[in-house]
Amino acid sequence: LGLLVALILLGSIRAIRRVGAETADAKLEEALEKSHSVHSGFQQRRFEQLSLIAEAFTSNTAITSFIAEAAERRDRASILDQLYERQEELGFDFAIVLDTRGRVLARTDSPDTAGENLSERPLVAKVMDDSDAFGIWRRDQELFNGVAVPLVQDFDLFGYLICGYLIDDDFAREVR
């Protein structure tokens, strides 16, 4: 009789543990889904903001004409001046102007760099294939939400613009 009671008690404990574990797993799954949803929402809003910034940049024919002329002359300083002005106005953390082959004409995060081929970077490859692109941009140990758009003057492609927001502690606190 004692053995039977012990077996029943042991079986009950196992059943309770299993139900408890299943309940805990379900709660954890629900919390992870909510967390992922919140993070995705924040990230989507950042991409939308960056898309608006890129549109403001590319829809201004005076700016695109100026950059197109500077790009033709390989005038990095003039392109940088435009990028810095827009950065101050629009609040993005970095911008890069590329030629049609994906080579750097100017970049705010490394102003002395030009000619580097970025065509193999995922965001650049995507914009070169699909028109507009968004995703994560990596620079050394930093990550950015980034968008890339074609630069066009008179229906002729003359390059690409990439701009982004740093994914930093402030962003993490905002998501949290």
Side-chain angles (χ1 to χ4, degrees):
L1 183 66
L3 183 59
L4 182 60
V5 170
L7 287 174
I8 291 172
L9 187 57
L10 185 60
S12 297
I13 290 172
R14 283 188 176 160
I16 290 170
R17 275 189 161 167
R18 187 175 59 241
V19 168
E22 288 172 0
T23 302
D25 287 347
K27 293 281 186 189
L28 179 60
E29 182 76 25
E30 183 180 322
L32 287 172
E33 283 179 24
K34 283 183 183 177
S35 172
H36 176 71
S37 175
V38 168
H39 179 261
S40 294
F42 273 98
Q43 199 164 19
Q44 184 61 36
R45 279 194 292 283
R46 289 185 112 197
F47 289 135
E48 288 170 3
Q49 288 172 331
L50 287 167
S51 292
L52 290 172
I53 286 170
E55 184 179 327
F57 211 110
T58 58
S59 65
N60 185 324
T61 55
I63 293 171
T64 54
S65 293
F66 182 86
I67 292 175
E69 291 171 17
E72 191 173 313
R73 296 188 316 268
R74 298 287 192 212
D75 183 356
R76 184 179 62 221
S78 294
I79 297 171
L80 279 171
D81 285 344
Q82 283 298 310
L83 293 177
Y84 289 138
E85 282 182 38
R86 301 294 87 71
Q87 187 173 27
E88 191 173 306
E89 281 176 21
L90 303 171
F92 52 84
D93 291 318
F94 84 96
I96 303 171
V97 172
L98 306 171
D99 67 13
T100 56
R101 296 176 305 157
R103 296 191 182 279
V104 174
L105 295 173
R107 60 187 300 167
T108 59
D109 60 338
S110 185
D112 296 328
T113 303
E116 180 184 5
N117 186 353
L118 300 179
S119 64
E120 298 297 317
R121 300 283 296 267
L123 200 60
V124 177
K126 186 167 173 40
V127 74
M128 291 174 82
D129 286 342
D130 296 338
S131 204
D132 291 352
F134 63 90
I136 301 298
W137 182 265
R138 182 185 188 118
R139 181 186 67 206
D140 300 324
Q141 299 301 314
E142 295 177 311
L143 295 176
F144 298 82
N145 293 117
V147 298
V149 296
L151 290 170
V152 177
Q153 181 188 27
D154 299 327
F155 303 104
D156 292 326
L157 176 71
F158 70 88
Y160 303 96
L161 169 71
I162 302 168
C163 60
Y165 287 135
L166 180 64
I167 300 172
D168 59 3
D169 291 340
D170 292 337
F171 177 69
R173 278 190 288 278
E174 198 175 325
V175 171
R176 186 181 58 167

